[in-house]
Amino acid sequence: MPAPKAESVVVTGTLFRDPNLVSASPITRLTSTQLQQRGIKTVTDALQLLSSNGAGNLTNAFSANGAFAAGASAPSLRGLGTSSTLVMMDGMRLSYYPLADDGTRDFVDTNWMPASIMDRIDVQEDGGSAIYGADAVAGVVNMITRQQIKGFEGNAEGGLAQGGYGGHTRLYGTYGIGDLDHDGYNFYVNSEYQEDDAITNDQVGYPYNTSNLTGIGGGNAESNIYSNGTISNFAQTPQTVAQAFDSSGNAVSGYNLANPSAGCGSTGTVHTGTVSGTPSGTTSTLCQYNSVKNGTNTYQVVQPYDRRVEATAHLTVNVGSRAQLTSMFTYSQNLSFFTGSPSSFYANTQSELGTSEGVLAPARLANGSLNPNDPYAASGQSAQLYGLMDEPTTTTEFSQNYRGSLHLTGWEPSKWGGDWNYDSSFVGMNTDLAQTYTGYINVADLDSAIQNGTYNFINQSANSQAARNAIAPSDEVHDKTQEYSWQATLSKGLVRLPGGMLNLAIGTNVRYESLLAVDANPVNAADPNDQYETINPVSAQGHRWVESGYFELNAPIVKMLNADFQGRYDAYSTGFSHFSPKIGVEFKPFKEFQLRGTWSEGFQVPSFSQTSGSTIGYVGASAPTNEAWLAQHSTNGVPNTYAQAYSLGLETVGNPNLKPETNNTFTGGPIFHPLPWITLGATYYYINEHNVIVANPTPYSTVAAAYAAANTTKTMTIDGDTVIPDVADPQNPTGARRAGIIESSYINANSLVTDGVDLSLSFNHRLPGVLHDINWFSSGRATWVHRYNESVPGVGVERFAGSEGPWQQVSASGTPRWRANWQNTFTWKKLSSTLTVYYTGGYHAQADDATGTGSVGNCALSLYSSVSSFYPSQCNVRHFWDIDLTENYQFTKRIGVYVNIYNLAGFKSPYDYGTYGSYLYNSSWAQNGVIGRAFRFGVNMKL
């Protein structure tokens, strides 16, 4: 059966399936050839490297360093967050990742997507709600799969970093039969496998492998440091220590190793000295401890272990001479694994409602025998135990994606105007996520073990796995999302205008979305201690139907002027609706010059987490400065460990009465074609958002300071927020406490304005003279952020462009003003060489949402001290360059080899002491600078 007469392809940003259509919207197109030339192997990497990908992006590196949505990755176009970028495949929606970004924003994970069958990735960088509906506020990412594949295609690739770590394996194979033009069908199957080893902080060297930062101008944050008879930085280590208590519950000794004969092992040096807060005249014996690496155990990771497996079946059939039916099914799984710091023996539950504080190891057990965990048992004294488990915590995120789609497109002739064109598609997708946590202590189980002697705290290596599981039982939860969508479009040429045919398209869409995210660490009201210490209790659930109608009118008024009008009405079963209009204009007075511009209104629907969820996250907080409070947590005027920067919990609960966020977007600028092979472009963008959903806008630092000033140990309500106290100071258990968790609810409060300029260049031409056989292809893109301002009621305008802000969003990646990439490919016969340069501008190390409005540029308000009191001072974060090289050699039409060298020049990541997304550097912009130079070698085959 011959192919349909009219070519019908997915065109991003329009309802018309005309491959010759030129959009007024700024669209970055990444072809599979370009990605291969640049050494980009995954959809995730392609999107993270976009110059328009800004603040709030979710990286795999942050997955292993505190991200709520661990195991996933997503872009953040224009810095508006992962939920403001709509990610689709072949123009159809995808299911959300079951875990919300920051526990707040619903988004589509890009890790699972099969890169080897992608024809291209289109990135629409203006509002897309008029065509696609909610969430296309900042733009749209549309991954277009290959229509047909004939014969066999395969790839095998391996590599590692120059340091010998970061092993990488990638394999894929595709086989297709049938030719659409001659056979009337094409069917292909594809499978991909990719595995990337974890990279630990220890492997990348100093200073990322230690908490002693004196070598870079900071302090020594290692625990239990000895100087002049005094031990400072008191903290728990894997070598358990005990403090004796008399029958009246009073401490009568210092902190001493519970098993002194074992010493500190590989942890560090044994120190004996006085410790602040212990009874007068007593000494303590403790182990110095590096919290980043303990002996041979490395807790922190730069990159998690990641394994992806995918299989796709794709069938395209010509239905007569005027229609084509495509069906596709994909199964993909992604497994992410990483370790974390060990759980503590002296700690609160995650909710701060339960505690092991005051739970003492008795001198005698229930059977009357002396308690082996109490070194003071022979004296009849009980003991408070302090220590860490001797194994790290682990987290495994295993997502499985099931996606099936049917797509029918065709045309029918008409006796007036243009032909009738129709398009109908159905897609269904489920994402199942299994989360497994090990090594996390349950406080109730811990308390029981302390009192009953069922765990060996003295010699942890002697514990059976059953004993370990008894205090730190494995925690596994299963989450799920669903997306089912049917859409249909009918289009027709109505009448011929001086510039061409006036085309109209109308369509409808009905879809169902659902999410179930189970709380991995719920509070047990009957027993507050029955909760894990540090697993974030994130939960949300909900479902909704969405019914939509939309249109597009494309009017080529004259040859040099084209106007496009779009509109979409969405009605949600949850009670709200929205109409989103858009106008696009192109003016091309002559072939070398074109002006284009768009204006649109759009909206972002409240996420399931924002309407029905509950989330607790942690941010770095400075120690209280209230003098009365400090006096209770100081020795000889020197603040103790409790009076240092720490992690403050921020809890938000859903609000079912939220309204959608709305926005106005404008883009406009010229495109120049000075020569047929050169294109230069500049686009100004402006986005104004209203009804921005936030938690209580009162800064958490203000609430925490007010709580410290209250000089209390109880829960309080401050400015509408509920403040739960933190764990007691072990050196002064009865003293006033610092804020532990601040609870608030979501509201529509803020407004936001961001604008800037995109610059682009592209040319493709042979070199002159004797170099004529060499073809030079060049493609560059740069984004400059002029403003990123958020207006907060009662606070003022927070300005983030060129700073570490918005600091409370995702990983505190900040908003660099400049991001750019420039690819240059030189092809000579069978050899091609590609050099790609990436640039991220520097930024101020302050953030208005953390240190107050107007703080950007004020070095005294830099964020390093909010993350750690031991970090070096820092006013600004330097820029970062990265250069990648790819060499391809095609031996025959069927076999080719290549080598990728990432971070060719070996540039180092600039230090960033204000971010909490990674340790000492910013993983959003400078991940390759920490990993160092890396190599991959591969072979491609076509049969």
Side-chain angles (χ1 to χ4, degrees), residues 146-167:
R146 296 167 67 180
Q147 187 181 40
Q148 68 173 334
I149 297 175
K150 294 179 285 187
F152 174 80
E153 297 179 5
N155 168 266
E157 177 182 284
L160 75 169
Q162 184 171 320
Y165 47 79

Side-chain angles (χ1 to χ4, degrees), residues 243-253 360 376 379-384:
Q243 185 177 33
F245 279 72
D246 62 21
S247 58
S248 299
N250 298 313
V252 294
S253 77
L360 306 179
Y376 311 105
S379 302
Q381 297 169 324
S382 55
Q384 179 77 68

Side-chain angles (χ1 to χ4, degrees), residues 206-207 211-222 225 864 868-874 911 913 919-920:
Y206 188 83
S211 45
N212 184 349
L213 304 180
T214 53
I216 56 172
N220 187 352
E222 291 188 352
I225 299 173
Y864 65 91
S868 172
S869 304
F870 298 93
Y871 282 178
S873 61
Q874 183 180 44
Y911 295 130
Y913 307 130
Y919 182 55
L920 305 178

Side-chain angles (χ1 to χ4, degrees), residues 498-499 556-563 585-590 593-595:
I557 301 169
V558 293
K559 289 291 185 182
M560 65 176 65
L561 180 64
N562 187 86
V585 177
E586 302 163 78
F587 176 64
K588 192 173 183 179
F590 44 90
F593 176 75
Q594 175 185 352
L595 272 176

Side-chain angles (χ1 to χ4, degrees), residues 190-317:
N190 165 268
S191 184
E192 288 186 26
Y193 175 87
Q194 181 166 322
E195 184 175 30
D196 292 283
D197 291 344
I199 299 177
T200 65
N201 283 62
D202 177 52
Q203 290 173 313
V204 298
Y206 188 83
Y208 308 104
N209 62 349
T210 181
S211 45
N212 184 349
L213 304 180
T214 53
I216 56 172
N220 187 352
E222 291 188 352
S223 305
N224 308 322
I225 299 173
Y226 177 83
S227 177
N228 298 323
T230 300
I231 298 175
S232 58
N233 297 353
F234 169 70
Q236 301 176 79
T237 79
Q239 278 65 42
T240 305
V241 299
Q243 185 177 33
F245 279 72
D246 62 21
S247 58
S248 299
N250 298 313
V252 294
S253 77
Y255 307 106
N256 293 296
L257 287 171
N259 187 5
S261 63
C264 295
S266 61
T267 296
T269 306
V270 177
H271 295 308
T272 300
T274 59
V275 175
S276 173
T278 56
S280 177
T282 64
T283 59
S284 299
T285 304
L286 301 166
C287 293
Q288 189 166 333
Y289 175 64
N290 175 6
S291 61
V292 177
K293 179 188 178 185
N294 169 34
T296 59
N297 290 327
T298 300
Y299 302 140
Q300 295 191 16
V301 297
V302 169
Q303 169 184 295
Y305 170 83
D306 192 81
R307 186 198 71 204
R308 181 172 61 83
V309 181
E310 174 272 332
T312 294
H314 187 284
L315 173 66
T316 303
V317 178

Side-chain angles (χ1 to χ4, degrees), residues 257-446:
L257 287 171
N259 187 5
S261 63
C264 295
S266 61
T267 296
T269 306
V270 177
H271 295 308
T272 300
T274 59
V275 175
S276 173
T278 56
S280 177
T282 64
T283 59
S284 299
T285 304
L286 301 166
C287 293
Q288 189 166 333
Y289 175 64
N290 175 6
S291 61
V292 177
K293 179 188 178 185
N294 169 34
T296 59
N297 290 327
T298 300
Y299 302 140
Q300 295 191 16
V301 297
V302 169
Q303 169 184 295
Y305 170 83
D306 192 81
R307 186 198 71 204
R308 181 172 61 83
V309 181
E310 174 272 332
T312 294
H314 187 284
L315 173 66
T316 303
V317 178
N318 293 334
V319 183
S321 61
R322 297 174 182 168
Q324 196 170 80
L325 177 67
T326 299
S327 63
M328 177 177 172
F329 178 80
T330 296
Y331 167 77
S332 181
Q333 60 173 241
N334 194 82
L335 184 146
S336 179
F337 173 85
F338 52 91
T339 59
S341 299
S343 291
S344 306
F345 298 147
Y346 181 89
N348 281 0
T349 59
Q350 203 282 340
S351 65
E352 308 280 357
L353 299 176
T355 186
S356 62
E357 173 197 341
V359 180
L360 306 179
R364 291 187 179 275
L365 299 176
N367 62 8
S369 62
L370 291 177
N371 186 351
N373 284 319
D374 180 6
Y376 311 105
S379 302
Q381 297 169 324
S382 55
Q384 179 77 68
L385 303 178
Y386 302 87
L388 304 175
M389 290 193 75
D390 60 348
E391 294 181 349
T393 55
T394 73
T395 302
T396 302
E397 307 284 350
F398 181 59
S399 65
Q400 299 184 87
N401 300 274
Y402 310 83
R403 179 185 181 272
S405 64
L406 284 172
H407 185 196
L408 177 66
T409 182
W411 67 280
E412 291 294 334
S414 174
K415 295 182 179 180
W416 59 277
D419 295 329
W420 294 95
N421 294 277
Y422 60 89
D423 181 271
S424 180
S425 62
F426 173 81
V427 63
M429 181 173 175
N430 287 356
T431 298
D432 295 332
L433 176 67
Q435 304 177 74
T436 304
Y437 304 90
T438 69
Y440 290 87
I441 285 179
N442 178 285
V443 173
D445 296 333
L446 171 67

